Amino acid sequence: FLMVYHFFLLFCSLQVIEVDKFPRSEIRICVTVLCADGGMRAACVNAASLALAHAGVPMRELVAASGAALFAETLLADPTLRE
C-alpha cells in the first residue's frame, strides 16, 4: 500500500526536478502522515512539491494534486476515507 505512494511520489518528483543540475547528489523526500482520512496521496504530493520549492531545489514547475471520487453518480471533490 505505501509502496504505491512511494512510486507515485517518485514519479511526480522526477518529472519536475532538474536532476541534471545535481549529477552526483541525492535528493531525499520524506513525508510523515499524521492523520490519514482520505486524500493522503494528494496531500503528500502537494507537501513534497512545496518543500522542494521552499528548499530552493530547481524545478521546471510545481506539482499540484487533488482527489476525486464518483459515488452513486455524484462527483465528490477531496473525498474522505469514509466516503
Side-chain angles (χ1 to χ4, degrees):
F1 179 70
L2 291 177
M3 290 302 289
V4 173
Y5 289 151
H6 167 75
F7 287 117
F8 185 74
L9 188 59
L10 178 66
F11 176 76
C12 291
S13 301
L14 285 177
Q15 300 300 314
V16 296
I17 296 174
E18 297 180 8
V19 292
D20 55 328
K21 294 186 178 179
F22 303 100
R24 304 179 90 182
S25 300
E26 176 181 319
I27 298 173
R28 183 172 293 184
I29 301 171
C30 298
V31 178
T32 301
V33 177
L34 299 177
C35 179
D37 187 26
M40 184 170 65
R41 183 183 325 180
C44 290
V45 169
N46 292 335
S49 180
L50 291 174
L52 290 168
H54 183 70
V57 175
M59 299 188 300
R60 291 185 262 293
E61 56 193 27
L62 289 174
V63 179
S66 64
L70 186 62
F71 179 73
E73 297 184 18
T74 303
L75 184 62
L76 302 171
D78 193 28
T80 63
L81 188 62
R82 196 168 148 202
E83 292 172 328

